[in-house]
Amino acid sequence: TRRSSDLCRLALAARPARLVCPCHGATFALDGAVISHKFPIPLPALPHIEVREANGAVQVYAPRPGP
């Protein structure tokens, strides 16, 4: 089981617009495609998830865990 502390927090870089993972040295396009990384094996694209902006915060829709 993964803990929330095991997950990466991506940063949004402004120019060019991209998502950056500072702990793994990977960058992603805004559509989730891998731009660059330092891994010896291929890195998968980011998953597509439904989000919305509300009152200045980004809200992520996630399914509730099953029984």
Side-chain angles (χ1 to χ4, degrees):
T1 303
R2 293 185 70 165
R3 301 180 312 251
S4 62
S5 60
D6 294 336
L7 304 177
C8 300
R9 182 172 290 192
L10 301 178
L12 178 61
R15 292 195 175 109
R18 65 195 184 286
L19 298 168
V20 179
C21 175
C23 52
H24 291 101
T27 57
F28 300 89
L30 296 183
D31 67 357
V34 177
I35 296 173
S36 65
H37 67 88
K38 297 179 181 180
F39 290 94
I41 59 174
L43 190 63
L46 295 175
H48 289 235
I49 55 175
E50 190 174 348
V51 299
R52 72 176 181 182
E53 185 274 331
N55 300 320
V58 176
Q59 297 176 341
V60 178
Y61 292 98
R64 293 184 184 269

Short mmCIF file of all heavy atoms in Angstrom, two decimals:
data_model
loop_
_atom_site.label_atom_id
_atom_site.label_comp_id
_atom_site.label_asym_id
_atom_site.label_seq_id
_atom_site.Cartn_x
_atom_site.Cartn_y
_atom_site.Cartn_z
N THR A 1 0.85 -1.18 0.00
CA THR A 1 0.00 0.00 0.00
C THR A 1 0.88 1.23 0.00
O THR A 1 1.83 1.31 0.78
CB THR A 1 -0.90 0.03 1.25
OG1 THR A 1 -1.66 -1.17 1.27
CG2 THR A 1 -1.81 1.23 1.23
N ARG A 2 0.52 2.18 -0.84
CA ARG A 2 1.29 3.43 -0.89
C ARG A 2 0.71 4.43 0.07
O ARG A 2 -0.48 4.53 0.25
CB ARG A 2 1.26 3.99 -2.31
CG ARG A 2 2.01 3.11 -3.29
CD ARG A 2 2.07 3.75 -4.62
NE ARG A 2 2.95 4.91 -4.54
CZ ARG A 2 3.45 5.52 -5.59
NH1 ARG A 2 3.16 5.13 -6.77
NH2 ARG A 2 4.23 6.58 -5.44
N ARG A 3 1.59 5.18 0.71
CA ARG A 3 1.17 6.26 1.60
C ARG A 3 1.21 7.56 0.81
O ARG A 3 1.93 7.68 -0.18
CB ARG A 3 2.14 6.35 2.78
CG ARG A 3 2.22 5.08 3.60
CD ARG A 3 3.21 5.27 4.75
NE ARG A 3 4.47 5.85 4.30
CZ ARG A 3 5.62 5.21 4.23
NH1 ARG A 3 5.69 3.96 4.57
NH2 ARG A 3 6.72 5.81 3.83
N SER A 4 0.45 8.56 1.28
CA SER A 4 0.47 9.85 0.60
C SER A 4 1.87 10.46 0.60
O SER A 4 2.23 11.20 -0.30
CB SER A 4 -0.55 10.81 1.21
OG SER A 4 -0.22 11.05 2.56
N SER A 5 2.68 10.13 1.59
CA SER A 5 4.05 10.65 1.64
C SER A 5 4.94 10.00 0.58
O SER A 5 6.03 10.49 0.31
CB SER A 5 4.65 10.44 3.03
OG SER A 5 4.69 9.06 3.33
N ASP A 6 4.48 8.89 -0.04
CA ASP A 6 5.23 8.23 -1.10
C ASP A 6 4.97 8.85 -2.47
O ASP A 6 5.63 8.50 -3.44
CB ASP A 6 4.85 6.74 -1.19
CG ASP A 6 5.25 5.96 0.04
OD1 ASP A 6 6.18 6.38 0.74
OD2 ASP A 6 4.61 4.94 0.29
N LEU A 7 4.00 9.72 -2.56
CA LEU A 7 3.59 10.28 -3.85
C LEU A 7 4.35 11.56 -4.15
O LEU A 7 4.78 12.27 -3.25
CB LEU A 7 2.09 10.55 -3.84
CG LEU A 7 1.21 9.34 -3.51
CD1 LEU A 7 -0.25 9.74 -3.45
CD2 LEU A 7 1.42 8.24 -4.52
N CYS A 8 4.48 11.87 -5.43
CA CYS A 8 5.18 13.08 -5.85
C CYS A 8 4.18 14.22 -5.98
O CYS A 8 3.06 14.03 -6.41
CB CYS A 8 5.85 12.85 -7.20
SG CYS A 8 7.06 11.52 -7.16
N ARG A 9 4.63 15.41 -5.66
CA ARG A 9 3.83 16.61 -5.87
C ARG A 9 4.43 17.33 -7.07
O ARG A 9 5.57 17.79 -7.02
CB ARG A 9 3.87 17.51 -4.65
CG ARG A 9 3.01 18.75 -4.83
CD ARG A 9 2.89 19.51 -3.58
NE ARG A 9 2.07 18.73 -2.66
CZ ARG A 9 1.57 19.20 -1.53
NH1 ARG A 9 1.83 20.43 -1.17
NH2 ARG A 9 0.84 18.45 -0.77
N LEU A 10 3.66 17.39 -8.17
CA LEU A 10 4.14 18.03 -9.38
C LEU A 10 4.01 19.54 -9.28
O LEU A 10 3.05 20.05 -8.71
CB LEU A 10 3.34 17.52 -10.59
CG LEU A 10 3.41 16.02 -10.83
CD1 LEU A 10 2.54 15.64 -12.02
CD2 LEU A 10 4.83 15.55 -11.02
N ALA A 11 4.98 20.23 -9.86
CA ALA A 11 4.95 21.69 -9.91
C ALA A 11 4.58 22.11 -11.33
O ALA A 11 4.94 21.44 -12.30
CB ALA A 11 6.31 22.25 -9.53
N LEU A 12 3.87 23.22 -11.45
CA LEU A 12 3.52 23.76 -12.77
C LEU A 12 4.55 24.80 -13.14
O LEU A 12 4.69 25.83 -12.47
CB LEU A 12 2.12 24.37 -12.73
CG LEU A 12 1.65 25.02 -14.02
CD1 LEU A 12 1.60 24.00 -15.16
CD2 LEU A 12 0.29 25.66 -13.82
N ALA A 13 5.31 24.53 -14.20
CA ALA A 13 6.28 25.49 -14.71
C ALA A 13 5.57 26.35 -15.76
O ALA A 13 4.78 25.84 -16.55
CB ALA A 13 7.47 24.77 -15.33
N ALA A 14 5.87 27.64 -15.78
CA ALA A 14 5.12 28.57 -16.62
C ALA A 14 5.53 28.56 -18.09
O ALA A 14 4.67 28.49 -18.96
CB ALA A 14 5.24 29.98 -16.06
N ARG A 15 6.82 28.66 -18.40
CA ARG A 15 7.23 28.80 -19.79
C ARG A 15 8.36 27.86 -20.12
O ARG A 15 9.44 28.02 -19.55
CB ARG A 15 7.67 30.24 -20.05
CG ARG A 15 6.52 31.18 -19.99
CD ARG A 15 6.88 32.50 -20.61
NE ARG A 15 5.70 33.35 -20.64
CZ ARG A 15 5.53 34.42 -19.87
NH1 ARG A 15 6.46 34.77 -19.01
NH2 ARG A 15 4.44 35.13 -19.97
N PRO A 16 8.18 26.92 -20.99
CA PRO A 16 6.89 26.52 -21.54
C PRO A 16 6.07 25.80 -20.47
O PRO A 16 6.64 25.18 -19.56
CB PRO A 16 7.24 25.58 -22.69
CG PRO A 16 8.57 25.01 -22.30
CD PRO A 16 9.28 26.09 -21.50
N ALA A 17 4.76 25.87 -20.60
CA ALA A 17 3.88 25.25 -19.60
C ALA A 17 4.12 23.75 -19.58
O ALA A 17 4.02 23.07 -20.60
CB ALA A 17 2.42 25.56 -19.92
N ARG A 18 4.46 23.25 -18.38
CA ARG A 18 4.72 21.81 -18.22
C ARG A 18 4.61 21.48 -16.74
O ARG A 18 4.68 22.36 -15.88
CB ARG A 18 6.08 21.44 -18.77
CG ARG A 18 7.24 22.07 -18.02
CD ARG A 18 8.54 21.99 -18.79
NE ARG A 18 9.66 22.51 -18.05
CZ ARG A 18 9.90 23.80 -17.81
NH1 ARG A 18 9.08 24.72 -18.25
NH2 ARG A 18 10.96 24.18 -17.12
N LEU A 19 4.48 20.21 -16.44
CA LEU A 19 4.47 19.71 -15.07
C LEU A 19 5.83 19.11 -14.77
O LEU A 19 6.38 18.37 -15.58
CB LEU A 19 3.36 18.66 -14.90
CG LEU A 19 1.95 19.18 -15.14
CD1 LEU A 19 0.97 18.01 -15.23
CD2 LEU A 19 1.53 20.14 -14.05
N VAL A 20 6.37 19.43 -13.60
CA VAL A 20 7.72 19.00 -13.23
C VAL A 20 7.66 18.19 -11.95
O VAL A 20 7.04 18.60 -10.97
CB VAL A 20 8.64 20.23 -13.03
CG1 VAL A 20 10.03 19.79 -12.63
CG2 VAL A 20 8.68 21.09 -14.28
N CYS A 21 8.30 17.03 -11.97
CA CYS A 21 8.44 16.21 -10.76
C CYS A 21 9.86 16.45 -10.24
O CYS A 21 10.83 15.93 -10.80
CB CYS A 21 8.25 14.74 -11.08
SG CYS A 21 8.57 13.68 -9.65
N PRO A 22 10.01 17.27 -9.19
CA PRO A 22 11.35 17.60 -8.71
C PRO A 22 12.09 16.42 -8.09
O PRO A 22 13.31 16.38 -8.14
CB PRO A 22 11.10 18.70 -7.68
CG PRO A 22 9.69 18.53 -7.24
CD PRO A 22 8.96 17.92 -8.40
N CYS A 23 11.38 15.45 -7.54
CA CYS A 23 12.08 14.34 -6.88
C CYS A 23 12.59 13.30 -7.88
O CYS A 23 13.52 12.56 -7.58
CB CYS A 23 11.20 13.68 -5.82
SG CYS A 23 9.58 13.20 -6.35
N HIS A 24 12.03 13.24 -9.09
CA HIS A 24 12.47 12.25 -10.08
C HIS A 24 13.09 12.88 -11.32
O HIS A 24 13.51 12.16 -12.23
CB HIS A 24 11.29 11.37 -10.51
CG HIS A 24 10.84 10.45 -9.43
ND1 HIS A 24 9.72 10.70 -8.66
CD2 HIS A 24 11.36 9.30 -8.96
CE1 HIS A 24 9.57 9.74 -7.78
NE2 HIS A 24 10.55 8.88 -7.93
N GLY A 25 13.10 14.21 -11.40
CA GLY A 25 13.68 14.87 -12.56
C GLY A 25 12.92 14.61 -13.84
O GLY A 25 13.51 14.58 -14.92
N ALA A 26 11.61 14.42 -13.76
CA ALA A 26 10.79 14.16 -14.94
C ALA A 26 9.94 15.39 -15.25
O ALA A 26 9.54 16.13 -14.35
CB ALA A 26 9.88 12.95 -14.70
N THR A 27 9.68 15.59 -16.54
CA THR A 27 8.77 16.67 -16.94
C THR A 27 7.71 16.08 -17.85
O THR A 27 7.96 15.14 -18.62
CB THR A 27 9.51 17.81 -17.67
OG1 THR A 27 10.19 17.29 -18.81
CG2 THR A 27 10.49 18.51 -16.76
N PHE A 28 6.50 16.66 -17.74
CA PHE A 28 5.34 16.18 -18.50
C PHE A 28 4.65 17.35 -19.18
O PHE A 28 4.60 18.45 -18.63
CB PHE A 28 4.33 15.51 -17.55
CG PHE A 28 4.89 14.34 -16.80
CD1 PHE A 28 5.52 14.52 -15.58
CD2 PHE A 28 4.78 13.06 -17.31
CE1 PHE A 28 6.04 13.44 -14.88
CE2 PHE A 28 5.31 11.98 -16.61
CZ PHE A 28 5.93 12.17 -15.39
N ALA A 29 4.08 17.10 -20.36
CA ALA A 29 3.24 18.09 -21.02
C ALA A 29 1.94 18.19 -20.23
O ALA A 29 1.61 17.30 -19.43
CB ALA A 29 2.95 17.66 -22.46
N LEU A 30 1.18 19.25 -20.46
CA LEU A 30 -0.07 19.42 -19.73
C LEU A 30 -1.08 18.32 -20.04
O LEU A 30 -1.99 18.09 -19.24
CB LEU A 30 -0.66 20.80 -20.01
CG LEU A 30 0.19 21.97 -19.54
CD1 LEU A 30 -0.52 23.28 -19.81
CD2 LEU A 30 0.56 21.85 -18.07
N ASP A 31 -0.92 17.62 -21.16
CA ASP A 31 -1.82 16.50 -21.46
C ASP A 31 -1.33 15.19 -20.84
O ASP A 31 -1.92 14.14 -21.02
CB ASP A 31 -2.01 16.34 -22.96
CG ASP A 31 -0.75 15.90 -23.69
OD1 ASP A 31 0.32 15.75 -23.06
OD2 ASP A 31 -0.83 15.70 -24.92
N GLY A 32 -0.22 15.25 -20.07
CA GLY A 32 0.31 14.07 -19.39
C GLY A 32 1.41 13.34 -20.12
O GLY A 32 2.02 12.42 -19.58
N ALA A 33 1.69 13.73 -21.37
CA ALA A 33 2.75 13.06 -22.13
C ALA A 33 4.11 13.34 -21.50
O ALA A 33 4.37 14.43 -21.00
CB ALA A 33 2.74 13.56 -23.57
N VAL A 34 4.97 12.34 -21.52
CA VAL A 34 6.32 12.48 -20.97
C VAL A 34 7.16 13.34 -21.91
O VAL A 34 7.24 13.08 -23.10
CB VAL A 34 6.99 11.10 -20.78
CG1 VAL A 34 8.41 11.25 -20.27
CG2 VAL A 34 6.17 10.23 -19.85
N ILE A 35 7.77 14.39 -21.36
CA ILE A 35 8.68 15.24 -22.13
C ILE A 35 10.11 14.76 -21.93
O ILE A 35 10.86 14.58 -22.88
CB ILE A 35 8.55 16.72 -21.73
CG1 ILE A 35 7.14 17.23 -22.08
CG2 ILE A 35 9.62 17.56 -22.41
CD1 ILE A 35 6.86 18.62 -21.58
N SER A 36 10.49 14.56 -20.67
CA SER A 36 11.85 14.08 -20.37
C SER A 36 11.85 13.39 -19.02
O SER A 36 10.97 13.62 -18.18
CB SER A 36 12.84 15.25 -20.37
OG SER A 36 12.54 16.14 -19.32
N HIS A 37 12.84 12.53 -18.81
CA HIS A 37 13.02 11.86 -17.52
C HIS A 37 14.43 11.28 -17.46
O HIS A 37 15.14 11.25 -18.46
CB HIS A 37 11.96 10.76 -17.31
CG HIS A 37 12.09 9.60 -18.23
ND1 HIS A 37 12.88 8.52 -17.97
CD2 HIS A 37 11.51 9.36 -19.42
CE1 HIS A 37 12.79 7.64 -18.95
NE2 HIS A 37 11.96 8.14 -19.85
N LYS A 38 14.82 10.82 -16.27
CA LYS A 38 16.17 10.30 -16.07
C LYS A 38 16.17 8.81 -15.72
O LYS A 38 17.14 8.30 -15.19
CB LYS A 38 16.85 11.08 -14.94
CG LYS A 38 17.04 12.54 -15.28
CD LYS A 38 17.68 13.29 -14.15
CE LYS A 38 17.82 14.76 -14.52
NZ LYS A 38 18.43 15.53 -13.45
N PHE A 39 15.07 8.12 -16.01
CA PHE A 39 14.97 6.70 -15.69
C PHE A 39 15.59 5.85 -16.78
O PHE A 39 15.56 6.22 -17.95
CB PHE A 39 13.50 6.30 -15.51
CG PHE A 39 12.88 6.88 -14.27
CD1 PHE A 39 12.17 8.07 -14.33
CD2 PHE A 39 13.00 6.24 -13.05
CE1 PHE A 39 11.59 8.61 -13.20
CE2 PHE A 39 12.43 6.78 -11.92
CZ PHE A 39 11.73 7.97 -11.99
N PRO A 40 16.15 4.68 -16.44
CA PRO A 40 16.73 3.80 -17.46
C PRO A 40 15.67 3.02 -18.26
O PRO A 40 16.01 2.36 -19.22
CB PRO A 40 17.61 2.85 -16.64
CG PRO A 40 16.97 2.82 -15.29
CD PRO A 40 16.37 4.19 -15.09
N ILE A 41 14.41 3.10 -17.83
CA ILE A 41 13.32 2.42 -18.53
C ILE A 41 12.26 3.45 -18.93
O ILE A 41 12.22 4.54 -18.36
CB ILE A 41 12.68 1.32 -17.65
CG1 ILE A 41 12.14 1.92 -16.36
CG2 ILE A 41 13.68 0.20 -17.36
CD1 ILE A 41 11.36 0.95 -15.49
N PRO A 42 11.41 3.15 -19.91
CA PRO A 42 10.39 4.11 -20.32
C PRO A 42 9.46 4.48 -19.16
O PRO A 42 9.13 3.65 -18.32
CB PRO A 42 9.61 3.37 -21.41
CG PRO A 42 10.55 2.33 -21.91
CD PRO A 42 11.39 1.93 -20.72
N LEU A 43 9.07 5.72 -19.12
CA LEU A 43 8.18 6.24 -18.09
C LEU A 43 6.79 6.38 -18.70
O LEU A 43 6.66 6.93 -19.79
CB LEU A 43 8.70 7.60 -17.62
CG LEU A 43 8.08 8.23 -16.39
CD1 LEU A 43 8.30 7.37 -15.16
CD2 LEU A 43 8.66 9.61 -16.17
N PRO A 44 5.74 5.89 -18.04
CA PRO A 44 4.39 6.03 -18.61
C PRO A 44 3.89 7.46 -18.49
O PRO A 44 4.34 8.23 -17.65
CB PRO A 44 3.54 5.09 -17.75
CG PRO A 44 4.26 5.02 -16.43
CD PRO A 44 5.73 5.16 -16.77
N ALA A 45 2.96 7.80 -19.36
CA ALA A 45 2.32 9.11 -19.29
C ALA A 45 1.51 9.21 -18.01
O ALA A 45 1.15 8.20 -17.40
CB ALA A 45 1.41 9.31 -20.50
N LEU A 46 1.21 10.43 -17.60
CA LEU A 46 0.37 10.63 -16.42
C LEU A 46 -1.06 10.18 -16.73
O LEU A 46 -1.52 10.34 -17.87
CB LEU A 46 0.37 12.11 -16.02
CG LEU A 46 1.69 12.68 -15.56
CD1 LEU A 46 1.54 14.18 -15.32
CD2 LEU A 46 2.16 11.99 -14.30
N PRO A 47 -1.77 9.66 -15.76
CA PRO A 47 -3.15 9.26 -16.01
C PRO A 47 -4.04 10.50 -16.19
O PRO A 47 -3.74 11.57 -15.68
CB PRO A 47 -3.55 8.50 -14.74
CG PRO A 47 -2.65 9.06 -13.68
CD PRO A 47 -1.37 9.41 -14.37
N HIS A 48 -5.10 10.34 -16.94
CA HIS A 48 -6.07 11.42 -17.11
C HIS A 48 -7.09 11.31 -15.99
O HIS A 48 -7.69 10.26 -15.79
CB HIS A 48 -6.76 11.32 -18.47
CG HIS A 48 -5.85 11.66 -19.60
ND1 HIS A 48 -6.14 12.61 -20.52
CD2 HIS A 48 -4.62 11.21 -19.93
CE1 HIS A 48 -5.14 12.72 -21.39
NE2 HIS A 48 -4.21 11.87 -21.04
N ILE A 49 -7.26 12.40 -15.26
CA ILE A 49 -8.22 12.43 -14.15
C ILE A 49 -9.10 13.67 -14.28
O ILE A 49 -8.68 14.68 -14.86
CB ILE A 49 -7.51 12.41 -12.78
CG1 ILE A 49 -6.50 13.55 -12.68
CG2 ILE A 49 -6.85 11.08 -12.50
CD1 ILE A 49 -5.85 13.69 -11.34
N GLU A 50 -10.29 13.59 -13.76
CA GLU A 50 -11.21 14.71 -13.85
C GLU A 50 -10.94 15.67 -12.70
O GLU A 50 -10.84 15.27 -11.54
CB GLU A 50 -12.64 14.21 -13.77
CG GLU A 50 -13.66 15.26 -14.09
CD GLU A 50 -15.07 14.71 -14.16
OE1 GLU A 50 -15.25 13.49 -14.18
OE2 GLU A 50 -15.99 15.54 -14.18
N VAL A 51 -10.78 16.95 -13.04
CA VAL A 51 -10.52 17.99 -12.05
C VAL A 51 -11.40 19.19 -12.35
O VAL A 51 -11.96 19.32 -13.43
CB VAL A 51 -9.04 18.43 -12.02
CG1 VAL A 51 -8.12 17.27 -11.68
CG2 VAL A 51 -8.64 19.05 -13.34
N ARG A 52 -11.50 20.08 -11.36
CA ARG A 52 -12.16 21.36 -11.57
C ARG A 52 -11.51 22.38 -10.65
O ARG A 52 -10.87 22.02 -9.65
CB ARG A 52 -13.65 21.28 -11.30
CG ARG A 52 -14.01 21.15 -9.84
CD ARG A 52 -15.49 21.18 -9.63
NE ARG A 52 -15.78 21.09 -8.19
CZ ARG A 52 -16.97 21.06 -7.68
NH1 ARG A 52 -18.02 21.08 -8.47
NH2 ARG A 52 -17.14 20.97 -6.38
N GLU A 53 -11.66 23.66 -11.00
CA GLU A 53 -11.16 24.74 -10.16
C GLU A 53 -12.35 25.35 -9.44
O GLU A 53 -13.39 25.61 -10.04
CB GLU A 53 -10.47 25.80 -11.03
CG GLU A 53 -9.81 26.91 -10.24
CD GLU A 53 -10.76 28.05 -9.89
OE1 GLU A 53 -11.72 28.30 -10.63
OE2 GLU A 53 -10.54 28.67 -8.84
N ALA A 54 -12.23 25.53 -8.14
CA ALA A 54 -13.30 26.13 -7.34
C ALA A 54 -12.67 27.02 -6.28
O ALA A 54 -11.88 26.56 -5.46
CB ALA A 54 -14.15 25.05 -6.69
N ASN A 55 -12.98 28.30 -6.36
CA ASN A 55 -12.47 29.26 -5.37
C ASN A 55 -10.95 29.25 -5.26
O ASN A 55 -10.39 29.30 -4.17
CB ASN A 55 -13.11 29.02 -4.01
CG ASN A 55 -14.61 29.17 -4.05
OD1 ASN A 55 -15.13 30.06 -4.71
ND2 ASN A 55 -15.30 28.28 -3.36
N GLY A 56 -10.26 29.13 -6.38
CA GLY A 56 -8.81 29.17 -6.39
C GLY A 56 -8.12 27.86 -6.04
O GLY A 56 -6.91 27.80 -5.99
N ALA A 57 -8.87 26.80 -5.80
CA ALA A 57 -8.29 25.49 -5.48
C ALA A 57 -8.63 24.50 -6.58
O ALA A 57 -9.70 24.56 -7.18
CB ALA A 57 -8.82 24.97 -4.15
N VAL A 58 -7.71 23.60 -6.88
CA VAL A 58 -7.97 22.54 -7.84
C VAL A 58 -8.51 21.34 -7.08
O VAL A 58 -7.90 20.86 -6.13
CB VAL A 58 -6.70 22.15 -8.61
CG1 VAL A 58 -6.96 20.99 -9.54
CG2 VAL A 58 -6.15 23.34 -9.37
N GLN A 59 -9.67 20.88 -7.50
CA GLN A 59 -10.30 19.72 -6.86
C GLN A 59 -10.20 18.53 -7.82
O GLN A 59 -10.50 18.66 -9.01
CB GLN A 59 -11.77 20.00 -6.54
CG GLN A 59 -11.94 21.13 -5.54
CD GLN A 59 -13.39 21.48 -5.30
OE1 GLN A 59 -14.27 21.16 -6.08
NE2 GLN A 59 -13.65 22.15 -4.19
N VAL A 60 -9.78 17.39 -7.29
CA VAL A 60 -9.59 16.18 -8.08
C VAL A 60 -10.70 15.20 -7.72
O VAL A 60 -10.94 14.92 -6.54
CB VAL A 60 -8.22 15.54 -7.79
CG1 VAL A 60 -8.05 14.25 -8.56
CG2 VAL A 60 -7.10 16.52 -8.10
N TYR A 61 -11.38 14.69 -8.73
CA TYR A 61 -12.42 13.69 -8.51
C TYR A 61 -11.75 12.31 -8.48
O TYR A 61 -11.06 11.93 -9.40
CB TYR A 61 -13.45 13.72 -9.63
CG TYR A 61 -14.26 14.98 -9.63
CD1 TYR A 61 -13.94 16.04 -10.47
CD2 TYR A 61 -15.34 15.11 -8.78
CE1 TYR A 61 -14.68 17.20 -10.45
CE2 TYR A 61 -16.10 16.28 -8.75
CZ TYR A 61 -15.76 17.32 -9.60
OH TYR A 61 -16.49 18.47 -9.58
N ALA A 62 -11.95 11.61 -7.40
CA ALA A 62 -11.37 10.27 -7.26
C ALA A 62 -12.47 9.31 -6.83
O ALA A 62 -13.31 9.67 -6.01
CB ALA A 62 -10.24 10.28 -6.23
N PRO A 63 -12.47 8.10 -7.37
CA PRO A 63 -13.48 7.14 -6.95
C PRO A 63 -13.29 6.76 -5.50
O PRO A 63 -12.17 6.74 -4.98
CB PRO A 63 -13.24 5.95 -7.87
CG PRO A 63 -11.85 6.10 -8.35
CD PRO A 63 -11.54 7.57 -8.32
N ARG A 64 -14.38 6.49 -4.85
CA ARG A 64 -14.30 6.02 -3.46
C ARG A 64 -13.78 4.59 -3.46
O ARG A 64 -14.12 3.81 -4.35
CB ARG A 64 -15.67 6.07 -2.81
CG ARG A 64 -16.18 7.47 -2.62
CD ARG A 64 -17.52 7.44 -1.88
NE ARG A 64 -18.08 8.76 -1.78
CZ ARG A 64 -17.86 9.59 -0.77
NH1 ARG A 64 -17.10 9.20 0.23
NH2 ARG A 64 -18.40 10.78 -0.75
N PRO A 65 -12.97 4.23 -2.48
CA PRO A 65 -12.47 2.85 -2.41
C PRO A 65 -13.61 1.87 -2.20
O PRO A 65 -14.59 2.17 -1.53
CB PRO A 65 -11.54 2.84 -1.21
CG PRO A 65 -11.51 4.22 -0.67
CD PRO A 65 -12.48 5.07 -1.42
N GLY A 66 -13.48 0.73 -2.82
CA GLY A 66 -14.49 -0.31 -2.68
C GLY A 66 -14.41 -1.01 -1.34
O GLY A 66 -13.50 -0.73 -0.54
N PRO A 67 -15.33 -1.92 -1.10
CA PRO A 67 -15.34 -2.64 0.21
C PRO A 67 -14.11 -3.48 0.43
O PRO A 67 -13.41 -3.91 -0.35
CB PRO A 67 -16.57 -3.51 0.14
CG PRO A 67 -17.07 -3.46 -1.25
CD PRO A 67 -16.37 -2.35 -1.96
#
